[in-house]
Amino acid sequence: MKKKKLPIGIDDFKKIIELNYYYVDKTLFIQDVLEKRAEVTLLTRPRRFGKTLNISTLKYFLDIKGAIENRNLFKGTKIEETDYMEYQGKYPVIYLTMKDLDGEDFESFFEAFKTLISSLFETHKYLREKLDERNLLFFDKIWFQEEKANYDTALKFLSQLLYDYYGVKPVILIDEYDSPFIIANEKRYYEKVKTLLGRFYGSALKEGIISFSVVTGILRIAKESIFSTLNNLKVSTILTGDYNYFGMTEIEVEDILKYYDLETTLGDIEKWYNGYLFGDLKVYNPWSILYHCSSGELKAFWINTSANLLIKEILREADREIFNIFHTLLKDGSVKTTLQENMIFGMRYSDSTLLYLMFSAGYLTIDRKGEEKNQYFLTIPNYEVKEYFKDTFMEIVSPRNYGKFTDLIVALRDGNVTGIDSVEELLQTMFEASMSYMDGSTEEKFYHNLILGMMICTDSYFYPLSNRESGYGRYDIALEPKDITKIGYIFEFKIADNFNDMDKVGSEALKQIADKKYRTDMENRGIKDIREIALVFCKKSLRFYVK
């Protein structure tokens, strides 16, 4: 039997149905929207978890234009079995996606914005036939992208025209409303975009003639005029547990794997692409599932580009605590934070802001709830995201070292501890480069985490372990080889008060490794070749001691 094509990168419902792509039926999303209908519904979910496809599905269902033709798209779907089919084709619809709106500066952004709104008016140019001279002039100024057109109220104007034409209040659907804010913040023209889009969204959603509106994005942006005075705003986030039609459920993943003869990969699929908690529902990353079904490979497919820029910006400006948080997460731990579910641009970002952003963007998920209100423990959801974490950590924290991590892995694997291109030489070089990024410290924990960050990249050959009990104490870091016939490492860190004491402190560290028998656990696992190394730090200096 010939298999259906996979809709990779296709988020237009009509195209998926008419061209017979594989479709995971999420049409009951329409029922949810109509049942819970609010003046404005804001749905925040990570990128590429189905927001655009769901909004597209809603558009084709509701739109009065092409209603008879569009009705055929829903034959055999779940929504067809409900009473809500009576709403099919009953509303004029304004559909707008903001996800590709960009610009290096505000002037280029505004030109792209004018083009976008002109295209929207092009879609509804049939309205011109019933316009009076005044409204026709306003319409054409926007349509032809004239400089002095009223772009900031264009959405409100269009909704009024649709109501006048059909006698039915329109529905406004806005996809990825927050993407321009994220881009503008990164490129330093946020305030201008805030003014423009705050008026553009707000005038239509607060003052315009509409039946209702559905808005999607990654973040709920705080203190924006779009939301500040809405009386009937319903917000659904990852935490709320409603509108559960984003991502793929366990059953949906099992079905698609079975269809493409990939059932045997289910266990690995769960480790790589599952782990997201939307309310109480665990879901898989649909983007990665589709790519896996296409290639059969297990690797990182998903890149959440619009949030990456902001995450990296915050990391570059982060304090030392974020540095420690990253290590905890990369060690498969969880970190405690308060999720306020609001993003405020134009301020110094706190640790909780970064964690909220990464959570909203899909890089973290809930491990468990804390004891206080809005308190949660967050963790990395799966292998795919962990790969992103490792790369981002190394790129941001050690930008000058990014190309040296592969060399370090080779040196450790081959047991090249001292000499040219050795573990000693590479760690020295990487440490010095990193210390130009971070100030020196008097805390062992800082140096410990810096070196541990460099060791995270070795997990293809080693198990990087930190602060584990072995023998009569706790070693600082151990690299336990996955192949027990290979070399293992134990590292002990010490801080010297001055440079003259570094050799003495190094000897004491090596003696501690021996006296505490830190090698016991590895020896019990059958690892025979174990290298013992002391690293002594003094401000921005590092010395390397080997037994």
Side-chain angles (χ1 to χ4, degrees), residues 22 45 74 85 105 123 140 157 180 213 244 254 310 387 391 404 427 445 466 494 521 524 528:
Y22 189 97
R45 299 293 188 279
F74 295 91
M85 282 301 293
D105 51 36
T123 303
D140 286 352
F157 176 60
S213 179
N244 285 325
E254 288 176 0
L310 184 54
E387 289 298 304
D391 288 345
K404 297 185 182 297
L427 280 181
K445 182 180 180 181
S466 175
K494 295 293 181 185
D521 272 10
N524 289 341
K528 296 180 180 178

Side-chain angles (χ1 to χ4, degrees), residues 289-535:
I289 295 296
L290 292 177
Y291 268 94
H292 170 71
C293 290
S294 175
S295 67
E297 296 180 284
L298 288 165
K299 64 180 186 179
F301 295 111
W302 175 67
I303 302 173
N304 190 343
T305 52
S306 70
N308 283 353
L309 296 173
L310 184 54
I311 289 169
K312 289 180 179 180
E313 176 192 349
I314 295 174
L315 281 173
R316 289 188 184 99
E317 299 174 359
D319 58 23
R320 197 167 293 162
E321 183 55 30
I322 285 292
F323 190 68
N324 297 333
I325 286 170
F326 247 64
H327 282 292
T328 300
L329 293 168
L330 285 167
K331 291 185 291 181
D332 299 322
S334 61
V335 295
K336 183 170 64 175
T337 190
T338 300
L339 294 176
Q340 299 292 351
E341 296 193 273
N342 281 310
M343 183 68 196
I344 304 174
F345 292 110
M347 57 173 285
R348 190 180 186 281
Y349 301 112
S350 64
D351 300 344
S352 60
T353 302
L354 176 62
L355 292 171
Y356 160 67
L357 175 62
M358 301 192 82
F359 170 71
S360 299
Y363 295 119
L364 296 174
T365 193
I366 294 171
D367 182 43
R368 62 189 186 278
K369 287 187 176 182
E371 296 179 357
E372 300 176 12
K373 183 180 179 181
N374 298 325
Q375 188 181 80
Y376 295 88
F377 287 84
L378 303 180
T379 190
I380 297 174
N382 52 45
Y383 286 177
E384 180 178 40
V385 178
K386 189 173 184 180
E387 289 298 304
Y388 165 80
F389 257 75
K390 287 194 298 181
D391 288 345
T392 300
F393 179 85
M394 291 185 287
E395 180 183 350
I396 298 300
V397 176
S398 300
R400 299 183 185 181
N401 296 328
Y402 195 65
K404 297 185 182 297
F405 287 103
T406 300
D407 296 335
L408 178 62
I409 293 170
V410 171
L412 287 163
R413 183 195 65 193
D414 295 344
N416 184 14
V417 177
T418 59
I420 298 174
D421 295 328
S422 65
V423 176
E424 178 181 17
E425 183 181 88
L426 288 163
L427 280 181
Q428 285 276 8
T429 302
M430 294 166 74
F431 175 78
E432 289 169 7
S434 296
M435 291 309 292
S436 66
Y437 174 73
M438 292 281 203
D439 290 335
S441 177
T442 57
E443 299 176 5
E444 184 180 310
K445 182 180 180 181
F446 168 70
Y447 296 108
H448 180 124
N449 286 342
L450 181 63
I451 300 299
L452 179 60
M454 298 174 185
M455 298 301 184
I456 291 294
C457 67
T458 69
D459 64 349
S460 53
Y461 292 95
F462 300 94
Y463 298 108
L465 306 172
S466 175
N467 289 321
R468 296 286 185 92
E469 288 188 9
S470 182
Y472 302 116
R474 288 176 178 268
Y475 53 71
D476 285 322
I477 291 178
L479 297 179
E480 183 178 310
K482 293 184 176 182
D483 180 348
I484 63 171
T485 66
K486 304 299 182 182
I487 303 166
Y489 296 87
I490 294 171
F491 295 88
E492 182 65 24
F493 303 129
K494 295 293 181 185
I495 294 179
D497 293 331
N498 56 69
F499 298 112
N500 295 330
D501 290 342
M502 292 182 78
D503 291 344
K504 176 185 175 184
V505 172
S507 298
E508 292 171 352
L510 289 175
K511 185 174 185 300
Q512 179 178 324
I513 295 173
D515 291 348
K516 300 277 188 181
K517 299 188 182 298
Y518 288 153
R519 59 193 296 136
T520 301
D521 272 10
M522 277 201 237
E523 288 178 335
N524 289 341
R525 292 183 176 92
I527 299 164
K528 296 180 180 178
D529 191 350
I530 302 170
R531 312 293 171 88
E532 299 173 356
I533 299 170
L535 300 181

Side-chain angles (χ1 to χ4, degrees), residues 84-95:
Y84 285 90
M85 282 301 293
E86 67 177 284
Y87 294 96
Q88 191 271 322
K90 298 300 184 184
Y91 297 92
V93 174
I94 299 173
Y95 172 77

Side-chain angles (χ1 to χ4, degrees), residues 190-312:
Y190 169 75
E191 288 298 327
K192 292 181 179 180
V193 167
K194 173 184 171 181
T195 300
L196 172 66
L197 293 188
R199 178 64 176 151
F200 177 74
Y201 292 145
S203 64
L205 301 183
K206 292 186 299 186
E207 305 162 11
I209 296 177
I210 61 173
S211 291
F212 61 91
S213 179
V214 179
V215 180
T216 76
I218 299 172
L219 308 168
R220 180 180 181 181
I221 301 176
K223 296 186 179 179
E224 298 299 334
S225 60
I226 175 178
F227 298 134
S228 60
T229 60
L230 289 179
N231 297 322
N232 190 18
L233 173 68
K234 179 176 178 59
V235 181
S236 171
T237 71
I238 297 172
L239 296 173
T240 52
D242 55 1
Y243 295 94
N244 285 325
Y245 298 97
F246 300 93
M248 284 190 187
T249 65
E250 186 87 38
I251 292 173
E252 290 166 344
V253 170
E254 288 176 0
D255 287 345
I256 194 171
L257 292 179
K258 183 177 181 180
Y259 182 83
Y260 290 103
D261 303 317
L262 291 166
E263 302 102 307
T264 56
T265 66
L266 182 60
D268 290 328
I269 284 289
E270 184 173 4
K271 294 174 184 177
W272 270 88
Y273 309 122
N274 194 9
Y276 300 95
L277 196 64
F278 290 3
D280 295 322
L281 181 68
K282 271 203 169 184
V283 297
Y284 290 74
N285 184 325
W287 179 270
S288 300
I289 295 296
L290 292 177
Y291 268 94
H292 170 71
C293 290
S294 175
S295 67
E297 296 180 284
L298 288 165
K299 64 180 186 179
F301 295 111
W302 175 67
I303 302 173
N304 190 343
T305 52
S306 70
N308 283 353
L309 296 173
L310 184 54
I311 289 169
K312 289 180 179 180

